[in-house]
Amino acid sequence: MDKRYISIFIPASITAETKDLRIKTYKVGLIGRSAAIFKASQIVVYNDISDDNEVKFISDILSYMNTPQYLRKKVFPISKELRNVGILPPLRTPHHPTEEAEVGDYRQGYTIKRTKKGTMVDIGADRLALCREKLSINKVFSFKIVKLSKKDIIIEPEEPDFYWGYEVLTTYKDLYESINEVKPDLVIGTSRYAEPITSIFDEVKSKIKDARHLAILFGGPYSGLHELIQGRKNIIDLEVNTVPSQGTKTIRTEEAVLITLSAFNLLLDAE
Amino acid sequence: MDKRYISIFIPASITAETKDLRIKTYKVGLIGRSAAIFKASQIVVYNDISDDNEVKFISDILSYMNTPQYLRKKVFPISKELRNVGILPPLRTPHHPTEEAEVGDYRQGYTIKRTKKGTMVDIGADRLALCREKLSINKVFSFKIVKLSKKDIIIEPEEPDFYWGYEVLTTYKDLYESINEVKPDLVIGTSRYAEPITSIFDEVKSKIKDARHLAILFGGPYSGLHELIQGRKNIIDLEVNTVPSQGTKTIRTEEAVLITLSAFNLLLDAE
């Protein structure tokens, strides 16, 4: 799924069913892991419960997970809501390296200060790296390591061409307005009342083929997709059932994300 | 996936990475939900960490989830290990009815006592039901309601022909010995080093076609399937990669279960 820009739309209500902060944190962790496993480019957190705090909580946890461990303390000030992040599983993606840096490696770095030579950047090494460009301070960018000696680490701003984590978009808006803000080429909804993906495999494949930016929508525990966009112009291009003959009456959002991304991954891989 | 008997093999180590009883409980809950969503017939908990307590804990949580709410207090004595079951999501399968009983419905019932007429059974109604057969006491059986009046509820032992929950098999043995005990027709392993399921779709389909009892094996956080059965006769008939081009270095067991059952559900549905 790495050739296309894929956005998944997640409702703020996914964590509303429990008051337990650990379980909330773990559930959001599952969403972050699902995105990384299937190389989703963006997670859009939309507001279906008029609760900006919940939207922010979910977005913060997702951003925290996507930040390499060596930058987390710099990027995220200690907060009450993030106190259970210790239970989050690591993403284990290439942008969270566990080995020592080598020339040619990519690293995310946090810009610390400007000097005459350029910008000093924390890339998680035992010393700061130098980027010869003048960059904004206190921000995260992606870099390539071009020189590595006992004295210096020289880096250049560059994004790799392999999967490099997801972006988190916090719209604080409802699903309909969030889709309009993101403007994907193809919007796919999942529903147990739609045709099974297996019976319309070719139709789904041909529609996806021309889409550069694919959006996959997920409803919440309180309202399905149709209720969330009712009364407005139909914005869903294609609806599919990714769990033919499901055994349970309902499927939870965090379950649906793994199941549905698994189905689309197979579909895109079979192209 | 309801036409075949499908067993999934889960390692006791899935909960070993965390000491937090709530997170442990929630993780096992995901396995139970996955089995019910995809109508797996049996969950086999095998012992890969020589820890019988952990095997028992996982099995108890899974059995608890599979027991209708009206029977849980009867079947499961209060225990320290089960103190967080409140966070478990309900299965919402047909054998966990939320509506009042009607004639023709199936119910799981707990046998309370023998009388001259037969056996009195708790099926979660406001009064005990009568089964005219003599059954063992303090056990759970499946029944069909054949008569329902203000005075009497008459039931007969009968299993429905739709999905009726999963069985839990606790072997306390390692993976190899557990497979030998279960004796499935076809044993499928999942591995990121195997061929993608999409590229051997027809081969997998034709092999599955003749299998009445399908076993799907899952490894744990400490050892993959090959390490778990090494040094012994190869017992795996088919290995597939259900996550072509995965974005993360590893996939956790609870994630792999949902992803893999999703893939096999599509494959079996496309038959």
Side-chain angles (χ1 to χ4, degrees):
Chain A
M1 313 235 300
D2 45 348
K3 292 164 209 155
R4 268 181 206 81
Y5 197 90
I6 294 174
S7 296
I8 60 174
F9 285 68
I10 305 293
S13 57
I14 45 159
T15 50
E17 282 177 306
T18 173
K19 287 212 162 87
D20 186 317
L21 186 62
R22 281 164 177 267
I23 300 294
K24 275 179 195 270
T25 305
Y26 187 84
K27 270 195 194 193
V28 179
L30 281 173
I31 305 289
R33 285 278 309 165
S34 304
I37 290 170
F38 293 109
K39 302 182 181 171
S41 319
Q42 181 173 243
I43 306 176
V44 182
V45 184
Y46 67 88
N47 197 351
D48 61 335
I49 45 169
S50 308
D51 186 343
D52 283 357
N53 288 334
E54 206 66 24
V55 178
K56 186 174 184 310
F57 167 74
I58 296 167
S59 303
D60 280 353
I61 297 279
L62 290 171
S63 299
Y64 182 93
M65 284 183 86
N66 187 55
T67 302
Q69 285 191 295
Y70 56 86
L71 296 182
R72 286 178 176 174
K73 276 189 188 158
K74 289 210 163 59
V75 179
F76 292 90
I78 291 165
S79 82
K80 216 173 60 187
E81 285 68 31
L82 291 179
R83 74 173 177 271
N84 288 131
V85 291
I87 60 164
L88 288 170
L91 288 189
R92 307 207 64 189
T93 44
H95 76 308
H96 290 195
T98 52
E99 279 153 38
E100 262 190 60
E102 287 178 26
V103 170
D105 280 358
Y106 292 86
R107 283 284 189 277
Q108 289 196 305
Y110 188 78
T111 51
I112 301 287
K113 63 180 175 191
R114 291 271 194 80
T115 65
K116 266 184 264 174
K117 287 180 182 171
T119 314
M120 301 308 293
V121 183
D122 181 352
I123 61 162
D126 52 2
R127 57 208 189 276
L128 295 180
L130 171 67
C131 173
R132 294 214 168 93
E133 296 186 26
K134 293 195 168 166
L135 303 170
S136 310
I137 296 306
N138 296 335
K139 289 213 178 308
V140 175
F141 297 99
S142 294
F143 300 93
K144 187 176 186 174
I145 299 169
V146 291
K147 194 187 148 191
L148 191 67
S149 69
K150 282 210 170 140
K151 226 178 102 221
D152 295 313
I153 306 175
I154 311 291
I155 56 177
E156 285 172 3
E158 190 175 319
E159 294 265 349
D161 61 359
F162 47 84
Y163 183 67
W164 198 239
Y166 51 77
E167 296 175 67
V168 180
L169 180 66
T170 316
T171 65
Y172 294 107
K173 293 176 183 167
D174 69 14
L175 175 61
Y176 192 87
E177 289 169 351
S178 300
I179 297 170
N180 277 334
E181 189 173 319
V182 169
K183 293 191 181 40
D185 298 323
L186 185 71
V187 179
I188 297 180
T190 54
S191 161
R192 67 176 296 187
Y193 303 108
E195 289 288 308
I197 193 168
T198 39
S199 67
I200 50 166
F201 211 75
D202 292 331
E203 186 194 337
V204 180
K205 256 166 68 173
S206 83
K207 283 205 177 180
I208 286 180
K209 214 178 156 188
D210 301 320
R212 275 172 308 113
H213 182 169
L214 193 65
I216 304 177
L217 313 182
F218 295 95
Y222 304 123
S223 10
L225 293 178
H226 284 276
E227 293 156 79
L228 290 168
I229 59 167
Q230 74 184 359
R232 284 177 284 187
K233 196 170 128 270
N234 183 27
I235 206 165
I236 300 177
D237 299 306
L238 186 64
E239 264 190 293
V240 292
N241 176 4
T242 52
V243 196
S245 67
Q246 68 187 61
T248 57
K249 200 168 175 191
T250 51
I251 295 182
R252 298 181 158 229
T253 308
E254 64 274 20
E255 296 159 351
V257 172
L258 266 178
I259 292 169
T260 298
L261 293 184
S262 169
F264 278 97
N265 186 49
L266 296 181
L267 192 121
L268 292 168
D269 192 70
E271 270 182 289
Chain B
M1 314 234 297
D2 45 349
K3 292 165 210 154
R4 267 182 207 80
Y5 197 92
I6 295 175
S7 296
I8 60 174
F9 285 68
I10 305 293
S13 58
I14 46 159
T15 50
E17 282 177 306
T18 173
K19 288 212 161 86
D20 185 317
L21 186 63
R22 281 164 178 268
I23 300 294
K24 275 179 195 269
T25 304
Y26 186 83
K27 269 195 194 192
V28 180
L30 281 173
I31 304 289
R33 286 277 307 164
S34 304
I37 290 171
F38 293 109
K39 301 180 181 171
S41 319
Q42 180 173 243
I43 305 176
V44 181
V45 185
Y46 67 88
N47 198 351
D48 60 336
I49 46 169
S50 308
D51 185 343
D52 282 357
N53 288 334
E54 205 66 24
V55 178
K56 186 174 185 314
F57 168 74
I58 296 168
S59 303
D60 281 353
I61 297 279
L62 290 171
S63 299
Y64 182 93
M65 285 183 86
N66 187 55
T67 303
Q69 286 191 293
Y70 56 85
L71 295 183
R72 286 178 176 173
K73 276 187 189 160
K74 289 211 163 59
V75 180
F76 291 91
I78 291 166
S79 82
K80 217 173 59 185
E81 283 70 32
L82 290 178
R83 74 175 177 271
N84 288 131
V85 291
I87 61 163
L88 287 170
L91 287 189
R92 307 207 62 189
T93 43
H95 76 306
H96 290 194
T98 52
E99 279 154 39
E100 261 189 60
E102 287 178 28
V103 170
D105 281 357
Y106 292 85
R107 284 284 188 277
Q108 289 197 304
Y110 188 78
T111 50
I112 301 286
K113 62 179 175 191
R114 292 269 196 81
T115 65
K116 265 184 266 175
K117 287 181 181 173
T119 315
M120 302 309 292
V121 183
D122 181 352
I123 61 161
D126 52 3
R127 56 208 189 277
L128 294 180
L130 171 67
C131 174
R132 295 216 167 92
E133 297 185 26
K134 293 193 168 168
L135 303 170
S136 309
I137 296 304
N138 297 335
K139 290 214 176 308
V140 176
F141 297 99
S142 295
F143 299 94
K144 187 177 187 174
I145 299 169
V146 293
K147 195 187 147 189
L148 191 67
S149 69
K150 283 214 170 133
K151 225 180 103 224
D152 295 312
I153 306 175
I154 310 292
I155 56 176
E156 284 173 2
E158 189 174 320
E159 294 266 348
D161 61 358
F162 47 84
Y163 183 66
W164 199 239
Y166 52 77
E167 296 175 67
V168 180
L169 179 67
T170 316
T171 63
Y172 295 105
K173 293 175 183 166
D174 70 14
L175 175 60
Y176 193 87
E177 289 169 350
S178 300
I179 298 169
N180 277 335
E181 188 172 320
V182 169
K183 294 189 180 40
D185 298 323
L186 185 69
V187 179
I188 296 180
T190 55
S191 161
R192 67 176 297 186
Y193 304 107
E195 289 287 309
I197 192 169
T198 41
S199 68
I200 51 167
F201 210 74
D202 292 331
E203 186 194 338
V204 179
K205 256 167 66 174
S206 83
K207 283 206 175 177
I208 286 180
K209 215 179 155 185
D210 302 319
R212 276 173 308 114
H213 182 171
L214 192 66
I216 304 177
L217 314 182
F218 295 95
Y222 304 122
S223 12
L225 293 177
H226 284 275
E227 293 156 78
L228 289 168
I229 59 166
Q230 72 184 359
R232 283 176 285 189
K233 198 170 127 268
N234 183 28
I235 206 165
I236 301 177
D237 298 306
L238 186 63
E239 263 190 296
V240 292
N241 175 6
T242 52
V243 196
S245 67
Q246 69 188 57
T248 56
K249 199 167 175 193
T250 50
I251 295 182
R252 298 179 160 231
T253 308
E254 63 275 20
E255 297 159 349
V257 172
L258 266 178
I259 292 169
T260 299
L261 293 184
S262 169
F264 278 96
N265 186 48
L266 297 181
L267 191 121
L268 292 168
D269 192 69
E271 270 183 289

